[in-house]
Amino acid sequence: MGVRGPTPKRSDNRVRRNVTDENGVSTKMAPAAINVKPPAEDRAWHPVIKGWYRSLKESGQSVFYEPSDWQAARFLAHYASKVLRAAEDTTDPTPLRAASIGRIWSMMGDLMTTETSRRRARVELIRLGLEPGDGDTGGGDEPGTEVVNINDFRTAYE
């Protein structure tokens, strides 16, 4: 999953760039699969889950996915779809439980589907045509990032 603790800063904001981790262990490397093709989604999945699965195919981190990662995503989609369908069942609805949602969110994090999980895995996605600090880097702690006063929004909508 990556490191624990606070979300690491983006690489262009970090001062130290060690070759090894804090325990002196370097990253092991092995050849990746060639021409990884994501499996098709199941037509029976919940529409929200279908949308999530399709978004994985378009997301930048998916270039790192191996066939086993795609199978993990399929398993997650199957499980999440069952949870959502059970909650929507009109004859015998099962309420959404925090433990189920937490497990789904954790599994999504393992697939690096959020900025925080990507930073913990030390994966950074950069939009082509933008330089770091141009505003679309997502972290909010980069130099030159605009800070928005939430009170301005609150007074505007009261």
Side-chain angles (χ1 to χ4, degrees):
M1 175 166 85
V3 297
R4 297 204 182 272
T7 304
K9 292 184 178 183
R10 294 181 67 89
S11 62
D12 54 348
N13 290 344
R14 284 194 300 258
V15 176
R16 293 180 63 182
R17 292 185 182 93
N18 296 345
V19 176
T20 60
D21 68 5
E22 59 275 357
N23 298 323
V25 178
S26 61
T27 301
K28 307 294 185 265
M29 297 191 189
I34 300 171
N35 297 328
V36 176
K37 185 176 182 204
E41 73 251 9
D42 188 334
R43 292 181 186 203
W45 288 345
H46 190 277
V48 171
I49 300 305
K50 280 187 198 177
W52 172 79
Y53 188 80
R54 289 175 188 155
S55 73
L56 286 181
K57 296 176 184 180
E58 300 170 9
S59 296
Q61 78 274 5
S62 67
V63 299
F64 298 108
Y65 286 3
E66 290 291 306
S68 58
D69 298 318
W70 282 111
Q71 291 305 323
R74 284 186 66 222
F75 172 77
L76 168 56
H78 177 76
Y79 173 69
S81 187
K82 283 185 131 188
V83 168
L84 291 177
R85 292 244 187 249
E88 293 178 346
D89 186 3
T90 56
T91 59
D92 184 24
T94 304
L96 287 175
R97 303 207 185 282
S100 295
I101 299 301
R103 173 57 59 201
I104 291 168
W105 192 252
S106 173
M107 293 166 73
M108 286 178 168
D110 289 347
L111 292 167
M112 298 184 295
T113 59
T114 64
E115 175 74 11
T116 300
S117 61
R118 287 189 293 271
R119 282 193 191 182
R120 285 192 175 123
R122 298 213 162 109
V123 171
E124 295 178 18
L125 302 179
I126 301 168
R127 300 216 189 277
L128 297 177
L130 289 179
E131 295 296 322
D134 279 352
D136 198 22
T137 54
D141 54 358
E142 293 83 10
T145 302
E146 180 184 354
V147 177
V148 177
N149 186 346
I150 193 67
N151 289 327
D152 294 342
F153 285 97
R154 286 184 184 147
T155 56
Y157 292 105
E158 288 181 347

